[in-house]
Amino acid sequence: MHYADYKMILSPKNGMNVYRGCSHGCIYCDSRSACYQMDHDFEDIEVKRNAPQILEAQLRRKRKPCMISTGAMCDPYIPLEEQLQITRQCIEVIERLGFGLAILTKSNRILRDRDLLQAIGRRTKCVVQTTLTTFDEDLCRVIEPNVSTTHERFQMLSAMRDAGIPTVVWLGPILPFINDSECNLRGLLDYCVRAKVHGVLSFGFGVTVREGNREYFYQQLDRHFPGVRQEYVDRFGDSYGCVSPNYARLNDILKEVCGRHGIMFGANRAFSYLSHFERQETQLSMF
């Protein structure tokens, strides 16, 4: 871990990351890709120590409140967050200034901040998102070794439901030749139905690999799934997108289950929902 001071934290589309790097150890992580130009080891997490202060300064310069998103690149609830509480401090700023929040995490540590998430939801919109990759708990501990297990994330989704906080599940990545089965998908969707998630986001049934994360992913395939790396090389070569051969069948199941249970699905609809700011009641000016 090391600290860094930043001048800006929000992207042009109002996304932010308070940490840079991750200790979750997911074998497929796209954030390892060379295109992100990380100049330190991925596990040597960079902490943006002044994140709450620069976030507040940027939010106060905005003409009107909007949705703020976090978690797409680096998880806001890595173990360091337990002590540093920088994510919580940023959420406090968002709540105090009347902005909305769309937060993505693989960790049930988010339950610590349920009070703040509910407070945001009473004024505007707060959406909790998580990824679900494999229904098999043993497989989860192999491909996502240092995160809350799939069942623990299901319990977190259920707790958010009970707290009145809407949830969205990112379904994937689905790793060809490893977890791209009908049984796995139905298990994950059953969790979504039982937790009454608002929506499911799927980018196709597959995984993305490119320079930086490809090398790490292939090393982990050799370590945990002997022979599977060669299947990737033979079928996908140097392709960025590695789509499951079972794509058509899995996509049909997704559409049928979501349609039957009234769950929003489709990337365009989900991103529109996540980015749309809503007021729940008349608010005083934050300024």
Side-chain angles (χ1 to χ4, degrees):
M1 179 196 77
H2 64 280
Y3 289 97
D5 292 318
Y6 279 68
K7 294 182 179 179
M8 306 283 283
I9 193 168
L10 287 179
S11 73
K13 293 186 177 181
N14 299 311
M16 70 173 185
N17 291 285
V18 301
Y19 301 107
R20 200 155 190 250
C22 190
S23 55
H24 284 344
C26 303
I27 70 171
Y28 49 74
C29 183
D30 179 71
S31 295
R32 292 179 180 272
S33 298
C35 64
Y36 298 120
Q37 300 179 326
M38 195 170 294
D39 58 3
H40 54 86
D41 290 341
F42 192 68
E43 287 77 13
D44 177 20
I45 297 165
E46 185 171 275
V47 179
K48 301 178 183 180
R49 86 180 118 203
N50 62 335
Q53 292 76 29
I54 54 176
L55 174 63
E56 177 159 355
Q58 284 192 264
L59 294 185
R60 286 193 176 277
R61 289 197 294 268
K62 289 189 175 294
R63 299 179 63 182
K64 58 183 181 180
C66 60
M67 295 295 290
I68 305 300
S69 64
T70 188
M73 275 291 296
C74 298
D75 199 306
Y77 288 99
I78 56 178
L80 281 174
E81 171 62 20
E82 291 185 10
Q83 291 77 42
L84 301 180
Q85 299 197 25
I86 295 179
T87 294
R88 182 173 176 87
Q89 293 173 52
C90 288
I91 296 175
E92 288 173 340
V93 171
I94 290 168
E95 190 277 327
R96 176 161 45 84
L97 298 185
F99 284 73
L101 176 65
I103 188 165
L104 171 65
T105 181
K106 286 183 169 76
S107 176
N108 60 8
R109 292 185 187 91
I110 193 173
L111 291 171
R112 180 200 66 186
D113 296 337
R114 188 167 22 180
D115 60 330
L116 286 173
L117 305 179
Q118 287 178 300
I120 292 172
R122 284 192 290 269
R123 300 175 68 186
T124 173
K125 184 166 70 179
C126 179
V127 186
V128 169
Q129 307 157 80
T130 195
T131 60
L132 296 182
T133 302
T134 174
F135 186 68
D136 184 321
E137 292 286 285
D138 292 332
L139 180 58
C140 178
R141 294 188 185 280
V142 171
I143 65 176
E144 304 168 325
N146 304 319
V147 303
S148 298
T149 68
T150 305
H151 187 260
E152 288 170 340
R153 278 175 264 172
F154 160 66
Q155 292 176 314
M156 179 271 287
L157 289 169
S158 299
M160 293 297 175
R161 173 203 64 207
D162 294 342
I165 299 168
T167 56
V168 169
V169 163
W170 294 49
L171 197 64
I174 301 300
L175 307 178
F177 319 120
I178 295 176
N179 68 328
D180 58 338
S181 67
E182 178 176 336
C183 178
N184 180 61
L185 177 60
R186 289 194 181 279
L188 296 178
L189 289 175
D190 180 63
Y191 276 161
C192 292
V193 171
R194 290 165 59 190
K196 297 183 179 179
V197 304
H198 182 79
V200 170
L201 243 174
S202 173
F203 299 97
F205 293 92
V207 63
T208 57
V209 290
R210 50 187 165 186
E211 181 186 358
N213 83 309
R214 176 182 281 110
E215 292 80 1
Y216 183 81
F217 181 50
Y218 280 1
Q219 288 173 6
Q220 297 305 308
L221 290 183
D222 286 342
R223 178 183 176 188
H224 298 291
F225 308 98
V228 172
R229 172 181 180 163
Q230 192 59 48
E231 292 189 69
Y232 273 76
V233 172
D234 293 344
R235 185 173 186 92
F236 305 116
D238 292 330
S239 297
Y240 168 61
C242 304
V243 179
S244 168
N246 303 325
Y247 168 84
R249 174 59 180 156
L250 297 178
N251 200 50
D252 286 344
I253 293 170
L254 172 65
K255 290 180 179 179
E256 189 277 324
V257 173
C258 288
R260 176 156 43 93
H261 292 279
I263 298 173
M264 176 187 69
F265 68 96
N268 290 338
R269 290 182 63 195
F271 282 125
S272 177
Y273 169 72
L274 292 169
S275 63
H276 179 62
F277 180 80
E278 302 172 11
R279 292 184 185 275
Q280 301 298 345
E281 58 186 40
T282 302
Q283 304 173 36
L284 296 176
S285 171
M286 64 180 176
F287 306 106

